[in-house]
């Protein structure tokens, strides 16, 4: 979940690296975007990259080191307006990051914050950058975050009022710190933020989110930075460190094949197999979390120890949460918002755009959504500043008393082009949205004939034929678009035409008739499948697709379920081969309008590679060798008492 601050699409403060919109366009009522707007052509490669905005207010830069509770040193870089001090104190906004502190406070939100009279603090989390200790992802972030916030609030040049901001990992660490209830913390603004890492993001309902987990773990900012530190402290000679960096780069170049490496638990060891490491150094020292995470496929006390959800009730500060419809952390961000809305005494706010992790322009995948669809066009930086003005400075209400800001971009496709509009609600899902059941039917050929599978409101009848297909882990269904991350090795995220996938004989499709009226989807999507497999364990996947009148098929949301975890991620239950099973697949959420005349389609398969690891058909999939891999014969039922149903959240 890297959010590289050098990325031109979005920085890890959750703000766009682009100029803010004109004052008249920033943070008004939600702006409508014309539907049917085509995606712009890419700019010429030789065009100069636009320079990130800089503060116009003079500022000073200061380096600090302070101690965590256990004495570990934590390094902080502060930028504050020139002249601030005991006689003119300023509030402070903090970001704690494993990805490196910026040299200057450039970028849309950062520059605006300095100009508005805030100090900005950036801290290297434990084991990263100039901070001491060992980097164990998310293990120490609660106590370290509390110590940092209380230390900052006690600086003589501050008012004692602290807000936190950041996206991805710098978003999630805010939740851990807030649950510690530090003195001085007034508000949090987590964007693109995970929740329960075992349920989504790195793992999802029993499967490994292989693309994300592998690219993040082996990235230069994670494993690569550990190599840098080991070289600096003399643990690795320079020539060996260079070999390690080459090994990491070579491994990432082997994607997507790396996502079906066998055994998966040995992937990191194999990546460094040709590196002559010192006798007292092993691959587990470079990527220490790999063994710890892959050895625990079930949700247990280990995963619970850095799951923010059990502590929602301890967070008593306002929050501004942001995510995207094709964003890796969408599920986590929506869960964080809903959990804090229900269990925190402080107001929580939500913004969801047509974005992906690290991609916040108005264009995504195959579609463009109009100028106001981007992070900057929406005015997210201005919104963040207004949020902190209200809750950190205490200057006026953020929204009317008792109100909650919830704004989502409702996407659509018209005449083959993307479009949509920003919409405001009093909650998410909107209070006027309700669940609708759409049932799967076919004549038995949904895997081989796209005209056969039907999705409609009729309940299943007796003796409807089943659909069958073969899952071959050595030839998995390829990932096309979706909530993908991270880095150059990752396929393009977002809405991408799915027709090449739907032509495969291991993908069942179920399609509505052309809609007589527009259909607005606004909330969660869940597939409740009745299915069987000949393997001792397997996966089933679901994907919701908008089919235009011209035949293009754009993915809206998707999900997966490892069958042995059909009763919960903490309760593996054996699979009885050949017996029908109830399998529920959380396909996340969307806000999308399907015009009259277009259709909805559901894809059902058993792989989505490299986003997820292809199931080898064994009881212990991450320990399976190449010789253990087997095909599985899959059956989808849709008859009376063994029906399969897609539950949509719809506004009528």
């Amino acid at each position: 979940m890297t959010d590289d601050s050098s990325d031109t699409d979005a920085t890890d403060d959750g703000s766009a690296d682009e100029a803010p919109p004109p004052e008249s366009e920033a943070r008004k009522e939600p702006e409508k975007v014309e539907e049917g707007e085509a995606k712009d052509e890419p700019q010429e490669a030789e065009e100069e990259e636009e320079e990130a905005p800089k503060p116009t207010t003079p500022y000073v830069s200061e380096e600090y080191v302070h101690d965590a509770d256990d004495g570990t040193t934590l390094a902080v870089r502060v930028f504050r307006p020139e002249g601030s001090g005991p006689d003119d104190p300023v509030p402070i906004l903090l970001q704690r990051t494993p990805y490196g502190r910026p040299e200057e406070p450039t970028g849309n939100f950062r520059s605006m914050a300095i100009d508005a009279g805030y100090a900005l603090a950036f801290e290297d989390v434990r084991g990263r950058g100039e901070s001491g200790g060992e980097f164990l992802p998310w293990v120490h972030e609660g106590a370290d975050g509390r110590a940092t916030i209380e230390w900052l609030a006690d600086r003589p040049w501050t008012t004692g009022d602290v807000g936190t901001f950041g996206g991805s990992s710098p978003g999630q660490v805010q939740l851990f710190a807030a649950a510690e209830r530090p003195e001085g913390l007034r508000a949090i603004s987590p964007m693109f933020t995970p929740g329960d890492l075992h349920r989504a993001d790195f793992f999802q309902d029993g499967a490994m989110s292989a693309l994300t987990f592998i690219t993040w773990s082996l990235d230069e900012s994670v494993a690569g930075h550990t190599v840098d530190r080991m070289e600096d402290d003399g643990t690795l000679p320079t020539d060996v460190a260079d070999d390690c960096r080459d090994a990491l780069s070579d491994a990432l170049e082997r994607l997507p094949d790396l996502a079906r490496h066998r055994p998966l638990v040995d992937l990191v060891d194999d990546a460094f197999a040709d590196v002559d490491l010192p006798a007292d150094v092993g691959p587990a020292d470079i990527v220490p979390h790999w063994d710890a995470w892959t050895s625990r496929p079930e949700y247990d006390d280990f995963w619970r120890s850095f799951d923010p959800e059990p502590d929602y009730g301890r967070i008593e500060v306002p929050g501004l949460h942001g995510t995207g419809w094709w964003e890796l952390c969408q599920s986590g961000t929506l869960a964080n918002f809903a959990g804090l809305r229900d269990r925190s005494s402080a107001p929580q706010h939500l913004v969801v755009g047509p974005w992906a992790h690290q991609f916040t322009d108005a264009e995504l995948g195959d579609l463009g959504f109009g100028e106001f669809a981007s992070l900057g066009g929406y005015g997210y930086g201005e919104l963040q500043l207004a949020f902190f003005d209200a809750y950190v400075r205490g200057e006026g209400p953020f929204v009317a008393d008792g109100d909650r800001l919830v704004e989502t971009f409702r996407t659509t496709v018209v005449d083959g082009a993307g479009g949509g509009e920003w919409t405001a609600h009093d909650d998410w899902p909107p209070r006027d949205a309700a669940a609708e059941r759409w049932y799967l039917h076919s004549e038995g050929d949904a895997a081989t004939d796209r005209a056969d599978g039907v999705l409609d409101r009729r309940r299943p009848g007796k003796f409807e034929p089943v659909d069958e297909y073969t899952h071959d882990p050595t030839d998995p269904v390829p990932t096309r678009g979706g909530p993908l991350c991270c880095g150059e090795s990752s396929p393009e995220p977002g809405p991408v035409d799915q027709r090449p996938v739907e032509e495969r004989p291991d993908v069942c499709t179920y399609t509505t008739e052309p809609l007589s009226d527009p259909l607005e989807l606004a909330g969660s999507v869940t597939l409740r499948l009745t299915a069987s497999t000949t393997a001792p364990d397997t996966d089933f996947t679901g994907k919701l697709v908008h089919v235009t009148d011209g035949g293009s098929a754009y993915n809206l949301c998707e999900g997966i379920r490892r069958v042995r975890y059909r009763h919960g991620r903490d309760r593996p239950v054996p699979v009885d081969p050949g017996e029908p099973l109830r399998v529920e697949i959380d396909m996340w959420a969307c806000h999308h309008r399907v015009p009259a005349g277009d259709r909805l389609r559901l894809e059902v398969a058993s792989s989505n590679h490299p986003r997820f690891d292809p199931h080898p058909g064994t009881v212990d999939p991450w320990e399976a060798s190449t010789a253990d891999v087997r095909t599985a014969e899959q059956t989808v039922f849709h008859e009376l008492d063994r029906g399969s149903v897609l539950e949509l959240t719809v506004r009528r």
Side-chain angles (χ1 to χ4, degrees):
M1 292 175 302
T2 306
D3 234 333
D4 189 341
S5 60
S6 66
D7 191 284
T8 57
D9 293 309
T11 68
D12 63 356
D13 61 7
S15 61
D17 248 42
E18 57 190 5
E23 185 70 25
S24 61
E25 294 177 4
R27 294 310 316 135
K28 301 185 295 185
E29 289 299 309
E31 293 277 4
K32 183 172 183 179
V33 179
E34 291 301 318
E35 297 177 355
E37 182 164 340
K39 178 173 179 176
D40 295 335
E41 292 298 317
Q43 298 295 315
E44 294 295 325
E46 63 267 19
E47 184 176 323
E48 289 189 15
E49 188 173 296
E50 190 173 321
E51 187 176 356
K54 300 178 180 178
T56 59
T57 300
Y59 61 89
V60 295
S61 175
E62 298 169 322
E63 301 290 327
Y64 294 95
V65 174
H66 73 99
D67 289 342
D69 291 349
D70 62 358
T72 300
T73 57
L74 301 175
V76 183
R77 178 171 294 145
V78 171
F79 306 99
R80 58 186 176 90
E82 194 174 273
S84 57
D87 295 330
D88 188 15
V90 292
I92 189 163
L93 304 179
L94 165 68
Q95 179 178 124
R96 304 185 63 252
T97 177
Y99 304 129
R101 299 169 296 169
E103 296 296 325
E104 298 294 338
T106 56
N108 186 23
F109 173 72
R110 297 170 183 175
S111 60
M112 285 193 300
I114 293 287
D115 288 340
Y118 288 91
L120 296 179
F122 297 88
E123 179 174 82
D124 291 323
V125 301
R126 179 183 298 239
R128 302 285 89 175
E130 300 301 318
S131 291
E134 182 183 6
F135 178 58
L136 297 173
W138 296 286
V139 171
H140 298 285
E141 305 310 339
D144 288 359
R146 173 185 47 74
T148 300
I149 291 167
E150 293 183 344
W151 178 83
L152 282 170
D154 197 39
R155 297 307 90 202
W157 40 263
T158 76
T159 61
D161 301 304
V162 181
T164 60
F165 70 106
S168 194
S169 177
Q172 191 181 39
V173 300
Q174 299 176 56
L175 301 174
F176 298 125
E180 295 280 325
R181 300 178 176 177
E183 292 291 331
L185 182 62
R186 305 290 181 246
I188 61 176
S189 180
M191 188 175 190
F192 295 177
T193 299
D196 174 358
L197 291 171
H198 189 267
R199 188 186 62 209
D201 306 305
F202 288 128
F203 302 89
Q204 187 167 331
D205 291 326
M208 179 190 291
S209 296
L211 176 68
T212 299
F213 187 33
I214 294 169
T215 56
W216 184 81
S217 297
L218 303 186
D219 188 77
E220 63 182 1
S221 66
V222 181
H225 184 68
T226 300
V227 170
D228 295 343
R229 289 172 67 96
M230 296 174 82
E231 180 184 15
D232 291 343
D233 67 16
T235 302
L236 291 178
T238 295
D239 61 332
V240 176
D242 287 341
D243 290 342
C244 288
R245 296 185 190 100
D246 289 343
L248 292 169
S249 178
D250 291 345
L252 290 175
E253 287 180 1
R254 296 203 302 273
L255 279 170
D257 289 343
L258 206 63
R260 57 174 182 245
H261 183 86
R262 307 291 180 197
L264 263 176
V265 293
D266 293 342
L267 184 149
V268 171
D269 288 343
D270 292 347
F272 291 100
D274 295 331
V275 178
D276 187 15
L277 293 169
D280 58 345
V281 177
D285 297 307
I286 300 173
V287 193
H289 62 273
W290 185 270
D291 289 344
W293 291 9
T294 58
S295 64
R296 294 176 172 90
E298 283 90 43
Y299 183 84
D300 58 11
D301 288 341
F302 171 81
W303 292 106
R304 193 175 292 108
S305 70
F306 51 94
D307 178 355
E309 295 185 13
D311 291 328
Y312 285 155
R314 292 186 49 81
I315 297 176
E316 296 180 330
V317 293
L320 173 62
H321 308 266
T323 186
W325 295 127
W326 291 274
E327 202 270 300
L328 170 71
C329 301
Q330 183 217 103
S331 176
T333 300
L334 294 181
N336 293 335
F337 164 75
L340 290 169
R341 174 200 63 199
D342 295 341
R343 295 169 55 191
S344 172
S345 59
Q348 305 297 317
H349 311 282
L350 176 69
V351 176
V352 189
W355 308 319
H357 213 77
Q358 298 181 319
F359 292 85
T360 56
D361 285 345
E363 301 172 0
L364 186 65
D366 289 348
L367 299 175
F369 295 103
E371 60 177 318
F372 294 112
S374 71
L375 198 75
Y378 170 75
Y380 198 88
E382 290 82 359
L383 181 70
Q384 270 193 307
L385 197 60
F387 171 79
F388 287 128
D389 284 346
Y391 294 118
V392 175
R393 273 201 169 115
E395 294 181 352
F398 180 55
V399 290
D401 289 345
D403 285 353
R404 176 185 298 119
L405 182 141
V406 177
E407 295 183 355
T408 65
F409 192 90
R410 185 183 67 192
T411 57
T412 193
V413 182
V414 177
D415 296 330
E421 61 183 338
W422 284 102
T423 59
H425 320 282
D426 54 6
D427 204 353
W428 183 261
R431 297 187 191 277
D432 58 352
E436 285 189 1
R437 291 185 171 187
W438 291 66
Y439 295 91
L440 283 59
H441 307 272
S442 83
E443 294 300 320
D445 295 317
T448 56
D449 182 359
R450 272 184 287 183
D452 182 63
V454 174
L455 185 66
D456 63 25
R457 304 298 304 281
R458 295 178 297 123
R459 291 183 177 275
K462 291 182 178 180
F463 313 123
E464 288 196 24
V466 299
D467 291 308
E468 298 174 322
Y469 62 94
T470 300
H471 164 58
D472 183 354
T474 67
D475 181 25
V477 177
T479 297
R480 283 184 63 84
L484 308 179
C485 182
C486 295
E488 296 180 357
S489 302
S490 174
E492 185 177 22
V496 176
D497 195 339
Q498 300 297 306
R499 282 178 289 183
V501 167
E502 295 170 353
E503 293 172 355
R504 293 175 55 102
D506 53 355
V507 178
C508 296
T509 60
Y510 304 89
T511 310
T512 68
E513 292 294 322
L515 300 175
S516 57
D517 298 298
L519 181 66
E520 182 177 354
L521 308 172
S524 62
V525 178
T526 304
L527 174 59
R528 294 184 175 89
L529 201 65
T530 302
S532 69
T533 179
T534 58
D537 191 21
T538 194
D539 294 336
F540 285 100
T541 67
K543 185 186 299 177
L544 185 63
V545 174
H546 174 172
V547 183
T548 69
D549 58 358
S552 299
Y554 297 109
N555 50 300
L556 304 179
C557 58
E558 59 191 53
I560 192 170
R561 171 71 68 175
R562 190 142 289 178
V563 176
R564 66 178 311 170
Y565 299 108
R566 61 195 180 278
H567 294 295
R569 293 172 290 123
D570 59 341
R571 297 189 298 278
V573 177
V575 175
D576 190 357
E579 287 298 312
L581 303 168
R582 303 280 187 178
V583 181
E584 182 173 302
I585 302 173
D586 178 3
M587 295 169 58
W588 294 14
C590 65
H591 191 192
H592 186 82
R593 181 180 183 271
V594 184
D598 285 7
R599 296 171 289 166
L600 272 180
R601 176 174 293 154
L602 172 70
E603 297 176 11
V604 176
S606 288
S607 54
N608 182 352
H609 168 267
R611 186 183 175 200
F612 301 110
D613 63 306
H615 201 299
T618 64
V619 173
D620 298 309
W622 300 339
E623 297 180 7
S625 68
T626 301
D628 295 327
V629 174
R630 54 173 290 180
T631 61
E633 301 304 318
Q634 317 289 59
T635 302
V636 176
F637 298 85
H638 37 72
E639 62 179 348
L640 187 66
D641 296 329
R642 291 197 293 193
S644 295
V645 59
L646 179 68
E647 187 171 287
L648 305 173
T649 308
V650 175
R651 299 179 82 183
R652 292 291 186 182

